[in-house]
């Protein structure tokens, strides 16, 4: 074997590969892992080999974010967008008020503004925006307030006019422009097809080059991420992403999912891209967000002050965005052509609907390695995980809900039976399913180590433990943030573990997670991130 370009030694190594459980050194040549083992790896040292002394730090595979939205999250760097998320800049209603007022005072006259991240459940006391209140606030300026889940936005009259929307505009399939009893638009718009119709005119001018996406990639690398998805990719993003990779400014591999359309139109051939960037699937939605009351459940929301503030009536149940027939037609339009499908679903009733569609398509068009996906899976039951696993379906779980919204789920929305059992992680593993964790950024920022901590402890921010029987081990949680997440993205053959032949997509942590209390995992620092052996971030 030729000499190595670099050798890592001097610290613990987590390979996430049972064939190489506890190596003392890792060699990299030509951007790929060439040897994993003990002192014999040091024999690959040559006169130009870079010896990287970990100095007790921990080497492991780079983190994989299986469900995120980098081409949406990049807009937070835009001059037209102001971050008011409760998990970042505005934990309270008062802070939202202050941020909005400061932004309006500083903005050029007439310039449109999108305030991203309002959450009435966490920012208690902030009144729900209305078209009239935003008209008064904007005084002719287009203003949009985007709910933190991304499934709802409130727009004023100037924003609706800029988007060319009025009471005669038909609702797009899967989305809604809310109207009052006279057919006048209220300013509330639900779900991606409708929300994007409102925000796109404002963001279009901001997204003419790859600069914002380059900043987003740098942020991902600083969090130890080496591979991510884009779960709502649009054709208008192709020139931007292409420029990013052509200019050599990308720091993360991407696997993207184009947003589905009712007619099954795709702008991409099935054979496309390379190991750095490739479209692999199609995204569809069954229902919406638990935080706005439109997930398709068999059980009702609680009657609480919080649900009243959301405008949910007594015994409220959510609903699906599509009929079963519409869902099946969307799957039928794409799956037979070879595409992987990834479906957003939270409610248990919605899970049954999409599993029915998946089972029907697999019966007609069997495929040995389809890796059909379900996304988020908040209220999914153990029986549904077993059924999904038998169909070969894999799930990506929004485990961060437990930390940030755990108390809300139990006290405000669903009670202990359904709220505490949100995201049944161990039930999924008990069903022999390979799972991943995600943050659904920009809902919450990419925090792989917090995800791992939440899966092990199931603790909310107040320390409440939700359904302790659903806790999993550190080993299981690490797989969900590395190799099994890469599996969902059809990339486990090239990354996700420290295995000879795979790319040297690695992260150096300041501490060994195995020697760290689970509650303290989120505080572990990222020392260096490598993509194909090249540093993309270093402290």
């Amino acid at each position: 074997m030729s000499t190595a370009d670099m050798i890592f030694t001097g610290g613990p190594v987590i390979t996430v590969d049972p064939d190489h459980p506890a190596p003392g050194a890792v060699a990299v040549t030509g951007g790929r892992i060439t040897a994993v083992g003990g002192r014999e790896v040091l024999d690959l040292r040559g006169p130009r080999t870079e010896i990287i002394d970990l100095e007790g730090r921990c080497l492991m595979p780079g983190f994989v974010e299986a469900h995120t939205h980098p081409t949406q999250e990049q807009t937070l760097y835009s001059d037209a967008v102001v971050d008011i998320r409760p998990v970042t800049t505005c934990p309270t209603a008062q802070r939202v008020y202050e941020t909005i007022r400061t932004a309006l005072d500083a903005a050029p006259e007439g310039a449109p503004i999108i305030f991203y991240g309002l959450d009435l459940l966490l920012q208690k006391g902030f009144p729900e925006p209305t078209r009239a209140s935003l008209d008064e606030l904007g005084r002719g300026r287009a203003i949009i307030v985007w709910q933190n889940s991304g499934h709802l936005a409130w727009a004023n009259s100037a924003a609706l006019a800029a988007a060319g929307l009025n009471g005669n505009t038909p609702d797009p399939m899967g989305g809604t422009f809310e109207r009052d009893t006279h057919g006048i638009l209220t300013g509330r718009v639900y779900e991606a097809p409708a929300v994007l119709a409102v925000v796109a005119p404002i963001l279009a001018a901001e997204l003419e080059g790859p600069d914002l996406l380059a900043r987003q990639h740098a942020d991902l690398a600083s969090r130890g991420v080496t591979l991510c998805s884009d779960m709502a990719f649009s054709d208008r993003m192709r020139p931007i992403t292409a420029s990013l990779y052509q200019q050599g400014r990308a720091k993360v591999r991407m696997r993207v999912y184009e947003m589905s359309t009712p007619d099954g139109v795709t702008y991409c051939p099935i054979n496309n891209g390379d190991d750095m960037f490739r479209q692999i699937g199609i995204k569809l939605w069954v229902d919406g967000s638990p935080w706005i009351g439109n997930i398709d459940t068999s059980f009702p929301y609680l009657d609480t002050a919080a649900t009243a503030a959301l405008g949910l009536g007594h015994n409220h149940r959510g609903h699906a965005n599509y009929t079963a027939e519409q869902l099946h037609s969307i799957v039928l339009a794409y799956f037979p052509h070879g595409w992987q499908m990834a479906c957003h679903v939270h409610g248990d009733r919605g899970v049954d609907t999409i599993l029915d569609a998946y089972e029907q398509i697999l019966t007609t068009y069997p495929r040995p390695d389809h890796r059909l996906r379900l996304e988020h899976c908040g209220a999914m039951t153990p029986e549904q995980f077993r059924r999904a696993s038998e169909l070969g379906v894999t799930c990506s779980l929004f485990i961060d809900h437990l930390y940030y919204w755990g108390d809300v789920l139990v006290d405000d929305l669903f009670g202990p039976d359904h709220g505490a059992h949100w995201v049944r992680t161990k039930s999924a593993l008990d069903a022999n399913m390979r799972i991943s964790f995600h943050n659904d950024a920009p809902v919450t920022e990419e925090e792989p180590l917090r995800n791992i901590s939440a899966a092990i402890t199931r603790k909310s921010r107040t320390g409440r433990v939700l359904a302790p029987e659903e806790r999993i081990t550190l080993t299981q949680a690490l797989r969900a943030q590395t190799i099994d997440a890469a599996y969902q993205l059809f990339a486990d053959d090239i990354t996700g573990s420290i295995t000879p032949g795979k790319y040297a997509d690695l992260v150096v942590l300041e501490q060994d997670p195995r020697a760290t209390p689970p509650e303290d995992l989120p505080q572990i620092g990222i020392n260096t991130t490598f993509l194909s052996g090249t540093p993309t971030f270093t402290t």
Side-chain angles (χ1 to χ4, degrees), residues 263-310:
D263 54 10
V265 170
T266 180
Y267 298 94
C268 186
I270 190 71
N271 296 313
N272 67 88
D274 53 27
D275 286 349
M276 284 295 287
F277 178 91
R278 181 179 294 120
Q279 179 173 321
I280 62 171
I282 305 295
K283 173 74 177 297
L284 63 157
W285 289 258
V286 167
D287 55 9
S289 166
W291 322 131
I292 62 177
N294 66 341
I295 63 170
D296 194 14
T297 61
S298 65
F299 52 88
Y301 280 72
L302 300 177
D303 293 326
T304 64
T307 55
L310 294 177

Side-chain angles (χ1 to χ4, degrees), residues 105-439:
D105 290 343
E109 184 176 355
I113 301 180
I114 297 172
F115 294 100
Y116 184 86
L118 183 66
D119 188 321
L120 301 180
L121 291 166
L122 295 185
Q123 296 156 330
K124 293 182 184 295
F126 193 90
E128 181 179 6
T130 64
R131 179 173 177 172
S133 67
L134 295 179
D135 283 347
E136 182 177 355
L137 192 66
R139 300 185 181 279
R141 180 199 307 271
I143 291 181
I144 297 170
V145 178
W146 205 340
Q147 206 272 344
N148 195 40
S149 69
H151 291 262
L152 167 66
W154 297 269
N156 70 356
S157 298
L160 294 172
L165 303 175
N166 57 53
N168 295 320
T169 304
D171 289 338
M173 182 177 287
T176 304
F177 304 122
E178 186 183 74
R179 296 164 172 80
D180 63 19
T181 55
H182 303 289
I184 305 299
L185 296 180
T186 67
R188 288 169 63 107
V189 295
Y190 290 95
E191 299 306 332
V195 172
L196 292 176
V198 174
V199 302
I202 294 176
L203 294 176
E206 299 284 327
L207 299 176
E208 294 182 350
D211 290 350
L212 300 186
L213 189 57
R215 293 175 65 179
Q216 180 57 33
H217 267 226
D219 182 71
L220 287 165
S222 75
R223 298 169 186 274
V225 176
T226 54
L227 168 66
C228 76
S229 70
D230 191 308
M231 297 306 297
F233 194 70
S234 69
D235 194 52
R236 71 181 65 189
M237 289 294 107
R238 293 189 196 279
I240 293 173
T241 52
S243 295
L244 181 78
Y245 285 90
Q246 289 165 2
Q247 295 174 17
R249 301 172 68 185
K251 296 180 182 294
V252 180
R253 303 182 195 278
M254 288 180 67
R255 297 294 181 268
V256 305
Y257 294 75
E258 190 176 313
M259 289 184 286
S260 61
T261 60
D263 54 10
V265 170
T266 180
Y267 298 94
C268 186
I270 190 71
N271 296 313
N272 67 88
D274 53 27
D275 286 349
M276 284 295 287
F277 178 91
R278 181 179 294 120
Q279 179 173 321
I280 62 171
I282 305 295
K283 173 74 177 297
L284 63 157
W285 289 258
V286 167
D287 55 9
S289 166
W291 322 131
I292 62 177
N294 66 341
I295 63 170
D296 194 14
T297 61
S298 65
F299 52 88
Y301 280 72
L302 300 177
D303 293 326
T304 64
T307 55
L310 294 177
L312 310 183
H314 174 68
N315 206 38
H316 174 83
R317 284 174 170 80
H319 56 82
N321 294 326
Y322 299 91
T323 66
E325 292 74 22
Q326 288 171 331
L327 278 174
H328 177 68
S329 69
I330 292 172
V331 175
L332 181 62
Y334 293 103
F335 184 81
H337 298 288
W339 292 109
Q340 182 194 30
M341 309 298 295
C343 186
H344 167 116
V345 62
H346 270 301
D348 59 330
R349 192 166 59 183
V351 170
D352 282 336
T353 304
I354 187 59
L355 287 180
D356 287 346
Y358 280 173
E359 184 170 10
Q360 186 175 355
I361 200 70
L362 289 170
T363 300
T364 309
Y365 298 94
R367 190 192 303 171
D369 189 21
H370 54 78
R371 305 189 200 184
L372 288 169
R373 293 178 52 168
L374 299 183
E375 312 301 306
H376 310 321
C377 311
M380 195 164 171
T381 67
E383 294 76 15
Q384 290 173 327
F385 280 115
R386 285 193 289 271
R387 181 188 176 195
S389 182
E390 290 169 358
L391 292 171
V393 173
T394 180
C395 293
S396 187
L397 306 178
F398 198 163
I399 195 71
D400 218 13
H401 273 181
L402 299 179
Y403 178 72
Y404 286 111
W405 286 272
D407 297 316
V408 168
L409 285 164
V410 175
D411 298 335
D412 295 331
L413 299 185
F414 301 121
D417 289 341
H418 300 292
H421 290 87
W422 201 253
V423 188
R424 296 175 182 263
T425 312
K426 189 167 188 301
S427 292
L429 293 177
D430 287 345
N432 296 316
M433 177 182 288
R434 297 180 74 170
I435 62 171
S436 70
F437 299 145
H438 65 257
N439 295 97

Side-chain angles (χ1 to χ4, degrees), residues 87-105:
V87 302
T88 55
T89 60
C90 297
T92 65
Q94 182 59 36
R95 186 63 182 143
V96 176
Y97 279 118
E98 294 168 356
T99 302
I100 289 176
R101 179 47 57 194
T102 299
L104 287 171
D105 290 343

